[in-house]
Amino acid sequence: MEVSPIPIPLCFAVILFSTSHLCVFSGVAIAQNEVATRHYKFDVCDYNFKIRLQNVTRLCHTKSIITVNGKFPGPPIFAREGDRVVVEVVNHVTIHWHGIRQLQSGWADGPAYITQCPIRTGQSYVYNFTIIGQRGTLWWHAHISWLRATTYGPIIILPKLGDSYPFAKPHMEIPILFGEWWNANTEAVISQALQTGAGPNVSDAYIINGFPGLLYNCSAKDTFKLKVKPGKTYLLRLINAALNDDLFFSIANHCLTIVEADAVYVKPFKTNILLIAPGQTTNVLLKTKSHYPNATFLMSARPYFTGQATFDNSTTAGILEYTQQSKGLPVLKPTLPAINDTAFAANFSQKFRSLANDKFPVKGPNGTKFSASVNNISFSLPSTAILQSYFNGKFNGVYTTDFPSFPLVKFNYTGTPPNNTNVSNGTKVVVLPFNRSVELVFQGTIIPGAGSHPLHLHGYNFFVIGQGFGNFDPRKDPANFNLVDPVERNTAAVPSGGWLAVRFFADNPVHINLMEPLTGTMDIIILSSNNFDN
């Protein structure tokens, strides 16, 4: 297999350009034909074509937020593998279908100024894509500024008719969306950060399905409750829609079995605690107790954080309670790892393995400004959408194809940082021939402090073939790569003070792929096309 290695030291993120391019449900009422077209309308405006602002009260604070169809979190998308999905979005935002591969449908990907310009006031845009080779849980969110703080929802992809899960059919399936809540206007928060150059103010609470939970002041009634029956198996579809933080999650006195990550089945493994990075999804099986216990149980989530910036050091909680229980039972709390438990994070992430069987094979592999950079380049948004400029052949002045394949300034990435990182701004892309096998090594740096860096690749899945701490050693570390059953994901976190190696095929013609930090401003773009000579 041909491999083009591109080691990428990063502070927070990446764009790659490749030239070839909330509900609980026990059954889903969708058409029963083999392959169907699912139609949805996402309304982000009122009848006067103004932005729909929904008044929502959390933490005894009422504010107006942007929602889809007046729901927070937003409405779910239901489909089966192979279905065509058509969504008309009305007014102002762009929507990214996070994790959908968008094979030959790059126009439907949604990042503003990358694959499209924002929808104009009073106008609509129809997203049209087909779900190919994916089944499980993904999610959608607004993809401009910080509107995704409140504008997001689940994507539920069921197996094809006649296909079954590679595990026992659950009694019920429940989306669990983690998010963040700001009492302040989130657009003002990010605007202030961009003006001052400092990190944005942290959220006031984490939320589960839109609710902070009983551990926060004035939130006892704003708590998500999951009622279960004894002796049943429930599929929890976990989504981390938080803007900034990895989250530990656990249910008191209950074990979870992880069966899927980022809409790809994995070899099942059991855990009492899991870690989920921003943008990631994880499906878990919850087996309830065989009897009615004399207690209720908290479902708790709090951040994993190792950086130097400020962060929301709080805990959100929902309640797991058994039906027909009496009131006044004791509430049991789970024990979560320490905020900075990097050892747990590393051990947990290394447990993920692809199924790698016949049906689900592995396919191959001071005066400064707080900003993210990759190989000393920090991404600048163009005034024209990149995919549009590429399609029209008018990319001069929009982007350049000289994104560096290796760090321009080399140093001891996890040691003492240099005084000058020589970061520049630019709209640069990497150009790859169609179907090229690509290997990327992301090297975390100590600038401005060691931290976990979640990365998401648009339009593709990738295989996580290796990870470790310290500086990546190109002579020794590849010998330990997992090329047998690496996990397939669309979002992964570079370990705090370490590195992450991934591989993917540039097999999506004419597609702009955005590899972005969920928390930063620097991206790497890949353009896939089959009309290049090299």
Side-chain angles (χ1 to χ4, degrees):
M1 179 172 59
E2 184 181 15
V3 173
S4 299
I6 307 179
I8 301 180
L10 58 94
C11 291
F12 283 95
V14 188
I15 288 182
L16 294 176
F17 215 25
S18 171
T19 70
S20 208
H21 256 337
L22 250 151
C23 66
V24 176
F25 58 96
S26 56
V28 180
I30 59 179
Q32 293 300 301
N33 51 318
E34 182 64 26
V35 176
T37 298
R38 316 293 177 186
H39 291 274
Y40 293 87
K41 184 174 182 180
F42 279 14
D43 187 6
V44 197
C45 65
D46 61 21
Y47 294 108
N48 294 317
F49 296 108
K50 296 179 180 178
I51 293 296
R52 181 190 295 275
L53 294 177
Q54 188 80 16
N55 286 334
V56 176
T57 301
R58 299 290 186 268
L59 307 177
C60 281
H61 180 89
T62 300
K63 71 171 187 177
S64 297
I65 64 174
I66 295 177
T67 63
V68 168
N69 298 347
K71 297 181 181 298
F72 173 64
I77 294 287
F78 292 109
R80 292 189 182 275
E81 178 187 352
D83 284 352
R84 178 179 171 220
V85 177
V86 178
V87 187
E88 180 186 6
V89 177
V90 181
N91 207 53
H92 188 67
V93 303
T94 66
I95 300 293
H96 171 49
W97 316 96
H98 190 108
I100 297 292
R101 292 197 62 201
Q102 300 294 359
L103 290 170
Q104 303 187 42
S105 54
W107 301 106
D109 201 42
Y113 299 107
I114 305 300
T115 62
Q116 68 174 104
C117 292
I119 303 169
R120 292 183 177 181
T121 300
Q123 302 297 312
S124 64
Y125 185 87
V126 177
Y127 293 89
N128 188 335
F129 55 89
T130 300
I131 300 171
I132 301 174
Q134 295 178 285
R135 79 292 299 166
T137 303
L138 296 172
W139 64 299
W140 59 263
H141 60 81
H143 205 297
I144 181 171
S145 190
W146 264 22
L147 295 186
R148 73 180 178 92
T150 58
T151 312
Y152 60 85
I155 302 175
I156 310 300
I157 307 172
L158 301 176
K160 295 179 180 179
L161 279 177
D163 284 354
S164 59
Y165 295 129
F167 47 82
K169 183 179 179 180
H171 171 68
M172 189 173 288
E173 305 181 17
I174 306 98
I176 304 288
L177 288 84
F178 304 109
E180 293 175 273
W181 173 267
W182 278 261
N183 285 333
N185 183 310
T186 52
E187 292 306 288
V189 172
I190 188 59
S191 177
Q192 180 186 37
L194 294 174
Q195 291 176 12
T196 63
N201 291 335
V202 301
S203 57
D204 295 285
Y206 297 105
I207 51 180
I208 297 177
N209 287 352
F211 297 106
L214 69 170
L215 301 182
Y216 292 100
N217 290 334
C218 192
S219 298
K221 295 182 179 179
D222 291 332
T223 300
F224 172 71
K225 292 185 178 181
L226 175 58
K227 293 183 177 293
V228 296
K229 298 179 179 179
K232 301 292 185 180
T233 298
Y234 294 80
L235 179 66
L236 306 185
R237 297 176 176 268
L238 307 180
I239 300 169
N240 188 353
L243 269 70
N244 295 323
D245 293 321
D246 300 57
L247 295 171
F248 294 116
F249 174 72
S250 183
I251 301 177
N253 284 25
H254 287 75
C255 183
L256 303 173
T257 301
I258 295 180
V259 294
E260 178 258 316
D262 292 348
V264 178
Y265 297 133
V266 299
K267 288 185 172 71
F269 66 94
K270 294 183 178 181
T271 183
N272 294 320
I273 304 167
L274 63 84
L275 178 64
I276 184 168
Q280 287 186 336
T281 63
T282 304
N283 279 6
V284 301
L285 296 178
L286 166 67
K287 181 65 181 294
T288 59
K289 299 183 182 299
S290 59
H291 59 283
Y292 285 101
N294 293 320
T296 56
F297 308 90
L298 288 193
M299 307 182 292
S300 300
R302 77 176 183 195
Y304 160 62
F305 188 81
T306 60
Q308 295 182 350
T310 56
F311 68 102
D312 182 354
N313 186 7
S314 65
T315 302
T316 182
I319 294 178
L320 177 75
E321 61 182 19
Y322 286 70
T323 57
Q324 301 179 11
Q325 283 184 308
S326 59
K327 297 182 179 180
L329 294 175
V331 178
L332 302 185
K333 300 180 181 179
T335 300
L336 294 171
I339 292 290
N340 60 350
D341 195 340
T342 296
F344 177 92
N347 291 334
F348 177 77
S349 62
Q350 291 176 0
K351 293 180 180 179
F352 286 84
R353 295 286 189 272
S354 290
L355 280 183
N357 56 25
D358 291 339
K359 187 173 183 179
F360 301 103
V362 174
K363 300 179 183 178
N366 298 320
T368 62
K369 184 175 181 179
F370 188 83
S371 183
S373 67
V374 178
N375 288 358
N376 306 103
I377 306 295
S378 187
F379 181 68
S380 297
L381 280 172
S383 57
T384 302
I386 291 179
L387 184 57
Q388 176 185 347
S389 64
Y390 170 74
F391 182 81
N392 293 330
K394 299 178 180 180
F395 54 83
N396 289 336
V398 179
Y399 65 83
T400 59
T401 59
D402 57 343
F403 186 91
S405 296
F406 295 89
L408 298 177
V409 179
K410 297 181 180 180
F411 59 95
N412 182 0
Y413 306 116
T414 55
T416 302
N419 293 327
N420 187 352
T421 57
N422 296 295
V423 171
S424 62
N425 296 323
T427 308
K428 300 177 182 292
V429 306
V430 175
V431 178
L432 299 172
F434 173 70
N435 218 30
R436 173 64 57 86
S437 176
V438 182
E439 177 179 300
L440 296 176
V441 178
F442 297 97
Q443 174 68 62
T445 75
I446 200 69
I447 302 170
S452 174
H453 305 297
L455 293 165
H456 168 54
L457 181 61
H458 288 223
Y460 291 94
N461 285 353
F462 53 78
F463 294 96
V464 180
I465 59 173
Q467 59 185 310
F469 294 108
N471 295 331
F472 174 76
D473 189 333
R475 297 168 300 177
K476 299 179 180 179
D477 289 328
N480 296 318
F481 283 174
N482 175 15
L483 303 180
V484 178
D485 58 352
V487 67
E488 185 179 354
R489 305 206 69 144
N490 65 65
T491 303
V494 179
S496 175
W499 56 271
L500 181 81
V502 305
R503 288 185 184 181
F504 67 95
F505 283 111
D507 60 355
N508 194 351
V510 194
H511 187 91
I512 297 292
N513 311 291
L514 181 67
M515 195 156 207
E516 57 178 352
L518 273 294
T519 56
T521 59
M522 170 57 202
D523 305 293
I524 298 179
I525 290 183
I526 307 174
L527 170 65
S528 270
S529 174
N530 54 9
N531 58 355
F532 282 72
D533 295 332
N534 58 342

